[in-house]
């Protein structure tokens, strides 16, 4: 089966099971132990700053939930995980969920034969009824198309007391890689809507940046794993978004200020200067990227001892905004 074909039939077939699994969103400790969802008797408290990632991973910390997936600042051979396995069902619940699926021919299309073969494979295994262990289910990150994920099984069997054999199964290291980093806006002088040709652009954060941390944990069907990712801002790179600027980009080191980290390019040697207007109604895509020193620990304590190996690369998060550049006309009199 080709990678493309495998990805499409799995996506089609997962529809019913994933709706069962994540609607409404599950939080750690809310499952009924059989793959269903229990309605809590107590009223849901106001947001405690936590969020749910994947199917049962809870993340909390002082980093905004609207951050962007961490991307490496300099390491080209690293990227956040595009998919992972999470514990999902005990055997009886798995059989019930799989038999309850009824993808229509319209949903499966040309992949009905592959899906039926998949169902027969699980029937032949008898869903591992009577065995001790859990079925772990594959979660695909939205918007990601990781080639390593395309031909993976929808579910894998993990015997009780044994670690999962697939490297894509959730563990502390993988949890640490799920972290998102905030992309703080910068204020420009002159402002984004009134840039001027041949006038240097000064930048500063609208508020000092703090060291951020995110704890990701899973506590479901007896599987308990946690990791905390910490990130300290250390540099800012801005890009003009056009070749009609000199220089086209600048990088500034950050300094401690007011309990956080700040950049002030007022007296910097490098500030972007636009050399041509953006035209009537036009703009340039100005961007500001923060580089973070990233570490992680296999505990819920952001002050815990960082894990030395494997280490996470420096992270990068980017904020973009459109800038309007005008050319001031001057009148010269004799």
């Amino acid at each position: 089966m080709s990678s493309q074909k495998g990805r499409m039939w799995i996506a089609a077939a997962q529809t019913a099971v994933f709706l069962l699994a994540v609607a409404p969103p599950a939080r750690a400790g809310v499952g009924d132990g059989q793959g269903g969802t229990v309605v809590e008797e107590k009223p849901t408290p106001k947001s405690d700053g936590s969020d749910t990632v994947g199917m049962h991973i809870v993340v909390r910390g002082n980093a905004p939930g609207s951050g962007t997936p961490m991307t490496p600042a300099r390491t080209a051979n690293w990227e956040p995980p595009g998919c992972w396995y999470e514990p999902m069902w005990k055997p009886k619940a798995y059989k019930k969920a799989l038999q309850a699926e009824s993808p229509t021919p319209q949903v499966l299309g040309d992949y009905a034969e592959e899906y039926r073969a998949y169902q027969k494979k699980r029937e032949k295994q008898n869903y591992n009824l009577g065995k001790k262990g859990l079925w772990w289910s594959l979660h695909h990150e939205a918007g990601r198309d990781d080639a390593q994920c395309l031909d993976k099984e929808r579910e894998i069997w993990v015997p009780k007391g044994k670690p999962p054999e697939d490297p894509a199964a959730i563990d502390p290291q993988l949890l640490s890689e799920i972290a998102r980093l905030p992309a703080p806006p910068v204020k420009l002088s002159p402002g984004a809507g009134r840039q001027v040709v041949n006038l240097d652009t000064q930048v500063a954060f609208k508020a000092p940046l703090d060291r951020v941390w995110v704890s990701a944990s899973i506590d479901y069907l007896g599987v308990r794993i946690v990791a905390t990712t910490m990130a300290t801002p250390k540099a800012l790179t801005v890009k003009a978004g056009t070749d009609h600027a000199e220089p086209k980009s600048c990088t500034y080191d950050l300094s401690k200020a007011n309990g956080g980290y700040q950049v002030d390019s007022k007296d910097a040697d490098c500030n972007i200067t636009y050399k041509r207007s953006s035209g009537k109604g036009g703009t340039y895509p100005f961007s500001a990227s923060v580089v973070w020193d990233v570490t992680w620990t296999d505990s819920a304590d952001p002050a815990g001892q960082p894990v030395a190996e494997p280490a996470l690369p420096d992270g990068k998060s980017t904020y973009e905004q459109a800038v309007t550049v005008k050319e001031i006309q001057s009148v010269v009199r004799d």
Side-chain angles (χ1 to χ4, degrees), residues 177-247:
E177 296 173 352
I178 294 174
R180 292 173 177 262
L181 295 173
V186 295
K187 60 180 180 181
L188 307 181
S189 180
R194 51 188 180 87
Q195 288 283 306
V196 178
V197 169
N198 292 328
L199 186 64
D200 70 325
T201 302
Q202 298 173 19
V203 298
F205 294 122
K206 292 186 177 180
L209 296 187
D210 283 331
R211 173 179 180 266
V212 299
W213 61 270
V214 174
S215 286
S217 63
I218 186 167
D219 186 352
Y220 190 68
L221 295 179
V223 177
R224 297 178 177 86
I225 308 172
V226 64
T228 300
T229 304
M230 297 78 69
T232 303
K234 64 178 185 179
L236 172 72
T237 296
V238 296
K239 294 183 179 181
T242 176
D243 290 336
H244 304 302
E246 184 61 42

Side-chain angles (χ1 to χ4, degrees), residues 52-113:
T52 303
V53 175
M55 293 172 280
H56 302 107
I57 298 172
V58 176
V59 295
R60 53 174 51 86
N62 68 348
S66 59
T68 58
M70 187 173 69
T71 57
R74 299 180 181 87
T75 306
N77 61 351
W78 185 95
E79 62 180 358
C83 64
W84 57 80
Y85 287 102
E86 297 181 32
M88 193 70 199
W89 294 283
K90 293 181 178 179
K92 286 184 179 180
Y94 178 55
K95 177 182 178 181
K96 182 178 179 181
L98 195 59
Q99 290 182 340
E101 283 188 348
S102 55
T104 65
Q106 290 79 8
V107 170
L108 290 174
D110 295 335
Y111 310 108
E113 183 177 343

